[in-house]
């Protein structure tokens, strides 16, 4: 992030006592921020958050003397750096005769920024000045304006007037945009900036280093070849104290354990210079002749600043030439300001409203631009320093503003009395810090390609200029993003089972045939990420390798002709897995969990080819959990059946005719709403194929008419089935008494059972019907080349088709999972005594057995053996859900 005249986020590296997790609003994940132990940087005062500052400051009885001391320290830190910033912005030789006035204009701009932060910031201790993030953009615009005017035969006065109108105009416009971003909470846009910003910030470090050396030797340095000045022994002598002093300041800012050390060092450096002059008998005039201090120039009065601009000399046509640079400045300054706000928030250990604080930053820039000033923001290091003092008063800001005005009103030209190497050292100090942070430290925090993008941007700015360098970095980042996105998709085999409650005989069939470790007939593959043309063929190879599918030469040729990709990767699979061909010929039923996104080429070259290969080998292939846009893509390219066709296929496969049955196999995918629905479909088909009878529908997902307590699907029979062989005869007799400790409640279609964040007062067993867990989705509109399409999830849920006659299935896209007859739900929140973590809605005529806290307490007292049985049932349900990694227990 952009550094300032005080270093990095934790300039003092103090030990922290604990960790606090805070959320930072920039599209990214929450960051862990250190909370501070009581600090005593100067007077042993403890830290206090701004919201509680009033009462605690009264206890500390801070006086105006304390406010003045802390203000002076901030001014000592800031003012030398502001003179350095002036030399960066106005580094063109055309501005040199007016540097004294321009430097005071930058300081006056800092006064305006500090005024805005004192008035509008939510932090009493906020410090804001002209900041480094926008320096290079301002310098670029100033140089462009100066070169254009001078090359066309214009005068220096035209250069000065035009620059001091266009730069403030850009600053005011920047402020207006930042206000809009904050007001409409649009700062997430900034989070999409790639790592090219790191390259730019590293370039700021290099630029500050270069400008600091140039200021020390009184030479203009704008090209890499200008470093050749240091081959001159005298100029090298002038630059060396600045380079060494900046190194000392950098070390202090990173290693010192007391905040007072840095400002003291900044006072001692010029003081040491004057002491050397005194002891060696060298006068200030002689030092000036040797190049140690600036040349004498006419004193600048405050009212002289009012005459810097002559509007009649302004070249308004140059505004359009600066627009591209201004756009880059908007993104970079907003990004750097977000980082500054985040840094302050992290040090405080509490979250700040980034959008609200950005409005403050925007207001300060708007006011600064209207008063002929320049871009600025929070100076996080000085804000943190003031926060750690515990002296949280806006009086500090008032004294800082008075100090700035005093410097502006003074007739003394600081450049002609202060050692130039010291002013240069403040810039070199910032350069060291930024270069170290963004070229060295960052290496262990980002991926290799991100670091390459950072370096490419850094070098490109040096070679082709700032605007095109950043644009080149963005292009490289986009190419890398596309390349990585099209290649990265994760395939893994996972262990999943449906939530259906099967009879003991059917359960044993599934154990022996469906999920046996050596020859499982049902397999679940999970795909994460997006699948595009670049990854489709690789994914197809991985799936085939996982399933043990080998291809003939004819099949490989067919795939090669149907896709632009080479079949060489598939040929490798055939060689490696040829020994598995016998196994594959058996009828497998792999369950396929879908991905986040897929394009047209991947749908055809991967999934359609996979379906055809599976058809030839008797493998039934289905997919679940697809997003509406993915499902639309699969159906559009005939990778999956049309909606009506799929409904009929599922109905025919779920027919109730016993006897010999041959499972059909299709060359397309069968789509399901949820994973557990698809798994239950596969389990039912396998049981029917092995046993030649239809599994007991009343225990699965087909609609069951609600019967009396003696019916096969009574609560007692369901509980016995759930426990299975774990229940002995004595426990089964206890289960016959369970209806006396619950209430059977009937719900109509669409009636809510409970809502998220409500009290968990009961758990439920589905006696008949079905319960849906809604899934909240965003917009399902799909915009194709032919226009807007209906993006609702069209997967024909076999669970839904049989719940009630004519029931609406238009909204199945909002269903995340189902709880069917015999399922237990709501018990996890109930046992943990926490608020509900999901919604539950009845589908069709649903009857639930409701066990409340009072019911369970009464059971515990009156029938403890039954209470133990119920606890065992809940334990088994917990283990089943844990095995499937679900969260709707």
């Amino acid at each position: 992030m952009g550094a300032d005249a005080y270093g990095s986020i934790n300039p003092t590296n103090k030990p922290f006592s604990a960790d606090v997790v805070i959320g930072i609003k920039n599209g990214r994940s929450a960051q862990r921020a250190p909370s501070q132990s009581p600090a005593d940087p100067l007077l042993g005062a403890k830290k206090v958050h701004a919201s509680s500052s009033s009462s605690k400051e009264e206890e500390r009885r801070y006086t105006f003397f304390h406010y003045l001391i802390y203000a002076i320290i901030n001014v000592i830190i800031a003012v030398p750096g502001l003179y350095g910033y002036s030399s960066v912005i106005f580094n063109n030789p055309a501005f040199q005769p007016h540097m004294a006035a321009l430097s005071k204009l930058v300081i006056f701009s800092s006064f305006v920024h500090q005024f805005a932060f004192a008035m509008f910031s939510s932090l009493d201790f906020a410090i804001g000045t002209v900041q480094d993030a926008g320096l290079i953009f301002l310098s670029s615009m100033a140089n462009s304006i100066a070169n254009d005017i001078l090359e066309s035969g214009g005068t220096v006065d035209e250069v000065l007037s035009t620059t001091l109108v266009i730069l403030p105009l850009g600053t005011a416009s920047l402020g207006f945009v930042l206000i809009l971003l904050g007001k409409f909470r649009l700062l997430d846009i900034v989070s999409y900036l790639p790592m090219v910003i790191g390259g730019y910030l590293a370039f700021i470090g290099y630029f500050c280093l270069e400008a600091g050396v140039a200021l020390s030797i009184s030479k203009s340095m704008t090209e890499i070849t200008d470093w050749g000045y240091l081959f001159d022994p005298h100029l090298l002598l002038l630059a060396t104290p600045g380079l060494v002093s900046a190194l000392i300041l950098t070390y202090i800012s990173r290693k010192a354990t007391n905040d007072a050390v840095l400002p003291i060092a900044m006072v001692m450096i010029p003081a040491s210079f004057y002491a050397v002059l005194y002891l060696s008998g060298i006068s200030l005039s002689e030092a000036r002749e040797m190049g140690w201090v600036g040349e004498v120039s006419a004193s600048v009065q405050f009212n002289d600043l009012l005459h810097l601009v002559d509007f009649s000399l302004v070249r308004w046509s140059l505004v359009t030439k600066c627009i591209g640079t201004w756009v880059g400045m908007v993104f970079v300054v907003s990004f750097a300001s977000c980082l500054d706000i985040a840094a302050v928030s992290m040090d405080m250990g509490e979250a700040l409203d980034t959008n609200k604080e950005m409005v403050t930053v925007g207001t300060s820039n708007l006011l600064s631009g209207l008063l002929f000033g320049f871009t600025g923001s929070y100076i996080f290091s000085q804000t943190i320093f003031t926060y750690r003092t515990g002296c949280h008063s806006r009086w500090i800001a008032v004294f800082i503003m008075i100090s700035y005005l005093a410097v502006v009103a003074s007739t003394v030209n600081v450049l002609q009395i202060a050692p130039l190497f010291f002013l240069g050292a403040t810039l070199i100090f910032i350069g060291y810090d930024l270069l170290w942070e963004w070229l060295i430290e960052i290496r262990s925090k980002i991926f290799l390609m991100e670091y390459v993008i950072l370096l490419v941007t850094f070098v490109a700015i040096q070679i082709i200029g700032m605007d095109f360098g950043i644009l080149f970095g963005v292009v490289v980042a986009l190419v890398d993003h596309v390349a990585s996105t099209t290649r990265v998709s994760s395939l893994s085999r996972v262990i999943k089972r449906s939530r259906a409650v099967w009879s003991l005989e059917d359960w044993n069939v599934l154990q022996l045939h469906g999920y046996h470790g050596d020859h499982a007939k049902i397999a679940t593959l999970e795909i994460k990420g997006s699948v595009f043309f670049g990854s489709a063929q690789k994914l197809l190879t991985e799936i085939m390798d996982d399933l043990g599918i080998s291809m003939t030469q004819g099949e490989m040729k067919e795939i090669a002709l149907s896709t632009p990709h080479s079949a060489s990767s598939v040929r490798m699979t055939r060689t490696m897995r040829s020994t598995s061909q016998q196994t594959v010929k058996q009828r497998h039923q792999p369950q396929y969990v879908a991905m986040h996104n897929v394009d047209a080429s991947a749908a055809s070259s991967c999934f359609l080819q996979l379906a055809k290969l599976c058809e030839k080998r008797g493998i039934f292939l289905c997919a679940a959990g697809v997003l509406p846009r993915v499902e639309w893509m699969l159906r559009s390219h005939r990778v999956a059946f049309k909606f009506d066709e799929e409904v009929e296929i599922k109905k025919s496969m779920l027919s109730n005719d016993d006897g010999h049955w041959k499972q059909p196999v299709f060359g397309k995918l069968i789509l399901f709403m949820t994973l557990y629905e698809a798994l239950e479909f596969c389990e039912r088909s396998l049981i029917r194929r092995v046993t030649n009878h239809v599994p007991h529908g009343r225990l699965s997902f087909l609609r069951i008419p609600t019967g009396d307590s003696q019916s096969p699907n009574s609560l007692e029979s369901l509980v016995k089935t759930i426990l299975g062989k774990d229940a002995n005869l004595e426990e089964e007799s206890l289960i016959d008494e369970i209806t006396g400790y619950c209430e059977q409640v009937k719900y109509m279609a669409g009636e809510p059972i409970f809502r998220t964040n409500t009290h968990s007062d009961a758990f439920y067993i589905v006696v008949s019907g079905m319960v849906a867990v809604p899934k909240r989705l965003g917009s399902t509109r799909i915009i194709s080349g032919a226009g807007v399409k209906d993006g609702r999830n069209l997967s024909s849920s076999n669970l839904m088709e049989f719940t009630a006659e004519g029931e609406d299935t238009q909204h199945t896209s909002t269903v995340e999972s189902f709880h069917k007859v015999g399922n237990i739900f709501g018990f996890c929140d109930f046992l943990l005594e926490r608020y509900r973590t999901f919604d539950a809605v009845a589908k069709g005529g649903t009857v639930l057995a409701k066990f409340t806290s009072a019911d369970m307490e009464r059971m515990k007292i009156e029938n403890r053996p039954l209470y133990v049985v119920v606890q065992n049932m809940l334990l088994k349900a917990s283990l089943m859900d844990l095995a499937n990694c679900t969260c709707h227990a």
Side-chain angles (χ1 to χ4, degrees), residues 23 40 122 156 176 231 245 371 389 470 482 584 607 623 675 711 783:
D40 52 346
S122 63
V156 172
F176 181 71
F231 289 108
S245 298
L371 295 173
T389 65
I470 292 178
V482 171
V584 177
F607 302 111
L675 168 63
S711 65
I783 302 178

Side-chain angles (χ1 to χ4, degrees), residues 626-636 671 793-795:
V626 293
L627 296 177
R629 59 180 291 114
V630 175
E631 182 174 351
W632 177 83
M633 180 64 69
L634 295 176
R635 294 192 191 279
S636 298
L671 303 184
N793 194 320
L794 299 178
S795 295

Side-chain angles (χ1 to χ4, degrees), residues 365-621:
N365 280 277
L366 178 61
L367 293 177
S368 175
L370 293 176
L371 295 173
F372 297 95
F374 311 101
T375 60
S377 181
Y378 282 98
I379 305 301
F380 69 83
S381 57
Q382 291 179 246
T383 300
I384 290 171
F385 162 73
T386 309
Y387 169 73
R388 291 179 179 179
T389 65
C391 187
H392 303 163
S393 172
R394 297 185 191 266
W395 279 107
I396 296 177
V398 172
F399 284 125
I400 291 175
M401 289 187 287
I402 293 174
S403 301
Y404 286 158
L405 286 179
V407 174
V408 173
S410 173
T411 59
V412 177
N413 183 1
V414 175
L415 295 175
Q416 68 185 34
I417 61 172
L420 293 178
F421 77 83
F422 169 64
L423 299 178
T426 60
L427 283 176
I428 299 172
F429 164 41
I430 298 171
Y432 283 163
D433 194 79
L434 283 171
L435 288 171
W436 179 264
E437 182 176 357
W438 288 100
L439 293 183
I440 306 300
E441 284 186 338
I442 196 68
R443 292 180 303 167
S444 60
K445 302 176 183 179
I446 59 177
F447 295 114
L448 175 61
M449 279 308 302
E450 290 181 308
Y451 187 65
V452 170
I453 292 170
L454 187 153
L455 291 179
V456 167
T457 305
F458 177 71
V459 174
I461 293 175
Q462 304 274 9
I463 298 174
I464 60 178
M466 184 182 61
D467 294 341
F468 289 104
I470 292 178
L471 182 61
F472 181 78
V474 170
V475 171
V476 173
L478 290 176
V479 171
D480 172 68
H481 175 72
V482 171
S484 59
T485 301
T486 56
R487 289 191 180 98
V488 176
S489 57
S490 172
L491 175 72
S492 59
R493 180 178 288 223
V494 295
I495 300 175
K496 300 281 186 179
R497 300 188 67 154
S498 76
R499 289 173 169 169
V501 180
W502 303 108
S503 66
L504 181 59
E505 178 186 355
D506 294 340
W507 173 265
N508 289 333
V509 170
L510 292 176
Q511 288 292 89
L512 181 62
H513 298 278
Y515 299 107
H516 193 281
D518 295 331
H519 47 83
K521 297 294 189 297
I522 299 176
T524 304
L525 303 180
E526 182 176 29
I527 297 178
K528 294 181 180 179
S530 301
V531 182
F532 294 102
F533 62 91
S535 61
Q537 207 62 36
K538 176 176 177 289
L539 180 63
L540 175 61
T541 301
E542 291 178 351
I543 296 174
M544 292 169 54
D545 188 61
D546 190 280
L547 297 179
I549 297 177
S550 59
M551 291 192 300
T552 65
Q553 291 290 344
E555 289 173 330
M556 285 190 290
K557 182 177 181 181
E558 180 182 350
I559 291 180
L561 293 175
S562 64
T563 174
H565 300 286
S566 171
S568 59
S569 59
V570 180
R571 189 176 299 113
M572 183 182 300
T573 300
R574 181 177 182 272
T575 303
M576 294 174 60
R577 299 301 300 264
S578 58
T579 57
S580 302
Q581 193 167 359
Q582 293 296 327
T583 304
V584 177
K585 289 181 179 179
Q586 301 179 15
R587 292 191 175 220
H588 286 245
Q589 295 178 326
Q591 168 58 38
Y592 191 69
V593 183
M595 52 263 125
H596 300 141
N597 201 4
V598 61
D599 68 354
S601 61
S604 300
S605 63
C606 179
F607 302 111
L608 183 59
Q609 297 300 329
L610 177 64
K612 293 183 179 299
L613 291 172
C614 289
E615 179 186 19
K616 295 179 180 179
R617 290 157 177 79
I619 299 176
F620 180 78
L621 195 66

Side-chain angles (χ1 to χ4, degrees), residues 497 500-515 658 683-684 686-696 699 720-725 876:
R497 300 188 67 154
V501 180
W502 303 108
S503 66
L504 181 59
E505 178 186 355
D506 294 340
W507 173 265
N508 289 333
V509 170
L510 292 176
Q511 288 292 89
L512 181 62
H513 298 278
Y515 299 107
D658 286 336
E683 290 173 358
R684 171 174 289 273
L686 179 63
I687 292 171
R688 184 176 183 183
R689 184 167 63 85
V690 172
T691 64
N692 288 325
H693 78 270
V694 179
H696 294 159
L699 295 179
K720 292 176 183 178
T721 305
I722 293 171
L723 290 173
K725 61 183 179 181
K876 185 172 183 178

